[in-house]
Amino acid sequence: MTGTSPEAAPPVPARRRPVPMARKIAAGVLVAVAIVVPLLVNTYASEKPRLWGFPFFFWYQLMWVLISAAVTFAAYLLIEGRRR
Amino acid sequence: MTAAAAHGINGVQLGVVVFFFVVVSIGGFFAARWKRPQSLHSLEEWGLGGRRFGTVVTWFLLGGDLYTAYTFVAVPAAMFALGSVSGFFAVPYTIVVYPLIFVFMPRLWSVSHRKGYVTPADFVRGRYDSRLLALAVAVTGIVATMPYIALQLVGIQAVLDTIGFGGTGSAFAKDLPLIIAFVVLAAYTYSSGLRAPALIAFVKDMLIYLVIIVAVVYVAWKIGFGNIFDAAQKKFTTPNPKTHKVPGSFIPPNQQYWAYTTLALGSAMALFMYPHSVTGVLAARSRRVVRRNAAILPAYSLMLGFLALLGFAAIYSHTSVIGQDGKPNAQLAAPHWFAQVFPSWFAGVALAAIGIGALVPAAIMSIAASNLFTRNIYRDLLRPNATPREEARVSKIVSLVVKFGALAFVLFLDRQNALNFQLLGGVWIMQTFLAIVAGLYTRWFHRWALLLGWAAAIVYGTVAAYRTHSPTVTHFASSLAPFPFTDTKVYIAVSAIVINIVVSVVLTALFRIVRVPAGIDDTVADDFYSESAAEQVAPQDAPSLAGERTG
C-alpha cells in the first residue's frame, strides 16, 4: 500500500489485494456464529424469562437480529475495512 | 367507525392509497431519466440499471425487493392463525440469510461483473458449459417466480378488500382497481426497467418503516406487549373443544424444533436463488456494496419481527378477518387490525405501504424472469446472435407477458392455486442452490450429475408437497413433511436438497471415473474476486492514478 510509485504501477490490477489468512479465518468464524447460533431452537424455545412483556423466545431472536448484524459488520470490516 | 369489515368503501383510506399510488407511478415513469443512461436498449441498462447502484440505493432496492406485500400480509396472518412455527421462523430466516449472502454473493457479483452475466443461469452456463443445466436453472427460476408475482396481487387484494372493494357486484368491477394498478405498473416497468422499482423502493420502505414504528409505539403504549403475548398464549394453548387440539404453537414444542430450524435455514438458502434477489445484487455498483449491504439489511429483519407480532396484536384486539365475501381470511389480520385501531387516514397510509410493497417486488420479479427468458431461452436456444438491443426488446415484451400471466392467474384461478405454487416454488428454487453456490467455489461437480441431482430433487419435492394434507386441504397443505426414513417433520426443500447433493456427489464420482466430458469452464479463479473499476484502487492511491489516466 505504501512505497510503490504510482507512475511505475502497471495498469490497475483487476484483482484486489489478498486478505491475510488470519483475517479471513476470524471473519469466517464470526459469520459461522451468526448463521448457526440463531438456528439452535432448543437453546431459546422457552417462555421465561420475560423482558418488557416479551417471552424469552421472542426477545432473544429479536436481539439476535442486532447481534448478527453487528457480527456481520465486524466481518465486513475485517475483510474490506482495511483498504480504506 | 372502527368495525373492520364495514361494508362500503372507506373514502379516506381510498384517497390516501390513491395519492401514494399516483406519486409512485409518476416516479416510476420519471425513473427512466435517473442516472442518465445513454440508452435503455440493453439488458445491462434496462434489466440491471447499468450495474450502477451504490450502497443506499441497493439497500432500498433489496429491502423493497425481498420484503414483499405478501410477506406483510402472510407473516402476521400465520402468527394470527397458526402461531410461531408458521410465522416467526421468518425472523431467524432473515437473520441467517445475510451472513450467508455475505459469504457467497460477492463471488457471484464479481464473476457476473467480469463476464457480463445478467442471470444466475448465465453463470451456470459459463461455468459448466451446459446449456441444458442453464436451461434447468432458468426454467426453475421463471416457474418459481410466476406464482410469487401472483401472490403480490393477493397482497393488493387484501388491501382492496379492507378498503371495501369486492364482495357483491360484477367480477370485473370488483377487480378493476387491481387491473388498473397492474397496467400502470407494467407500463412504467416497460419504459424504465429496473430503475423504476429502485426509485419506488424509497417510498415503499419509508412508508413501511413509518407504519411499523407507529404500530410498535401504539402497542407498547396503549396495549402493552405483555398483553398481546398473553392473548396469543391463551389462544394457542387452549384446545379446540371439538378436536381437542390446540390451534397452533405459541412457542415451538420439542417435536417442532427441526421444523422451525429447517424452515428458517431452507428459506434463507432459497431466498438468494430467486432471480429477483440475484437481479438486485447484480445491479450493485461494486463487490463492497454487496458486502456492506449484508451488514445493514438486517434493519429490515427487525421491522419484520415486529410486523409478525402484529398478528398477535390482532388476536388481542379480536380483529375480525371476515372479508367482503363474508368468508374468514387470516390474510386480512394485519390490514384489518390497522383499520380497526387507527384513524382512517393512517390506516390508509398503512394500506398504501402494503400496496406499494407489492409493486416493487412485482416489477423486479417480472424483470428478472424476463431476463432469464431472454438470455437463457431466447438467446441460448433460439437466437444465438441476438444483439443487446434485441435482447432488451424481447425482455421488455416478456415482462408484460409475465405480469399479465400473473394477473390472469389471480383473477381466473382459485387463490389456493397461487399459494400451492408458491410453496412448490420455494422447494424448486432451492434445487438450483447446489449448481450455483457450489459452482462459485469448485468445479468438482459434473454438469450431468448436477442436472440429474436437480431432477431427482424436483420430483421428490413435488411429490412430498403434493402428499401433505390437512383436515381442510387435501394436497399441498404444508411445507413440512417427514424427513425420508424418519418421523421428524422438516421443510421439504431441505430434504430435497439433501437428495440433490447425494445424487450429485455420487454421479459426479461415477462420471469422473468413466470420464464423461465435463465441458470447458469459461471462468478462471481470478474472476471470482474482480472489482469494479471504481473500487479497484484504495482511495488514498486514487488521486494519483486518476491524474495519470486523465493527464
Side-chain angles (χ1 to χ4, degrees), chain B residues 10-21 159-160 162-163 207-208 210-211 334-335 337-356:
Chain B
N10 185 317
V12 178
Q13 289 174 4
L14 180 63
V16 173
V17 170
V18 168
F19 168 77
F20 281 109
F21 182 75
V159 168
L160 292 173
T162 306
I163 294 172
L207 280 180
I208 279 291
L210 174 76
V211 165
W337 184 79
F338 278 107
Q340 180 186 347
V341 303
F342 288 109
S344 285
W345 70 267
F346 188 76
V349 174
L351 294 172
I354 297 173
I356 297 169

Side-chain angles (χ1 to χ4, degrees), chain A residues 53-72:
Chain A
F54 284 67
F56 181 72
F57 178 76
F58 296 96
W59 70 255
Y60 179 83
Q61 289 182 77
L62 291 173
M63 182 184 74
W64 263 94
V65 173
L66 303 177
I67 296 175
S68 183
V71 164
T72 308

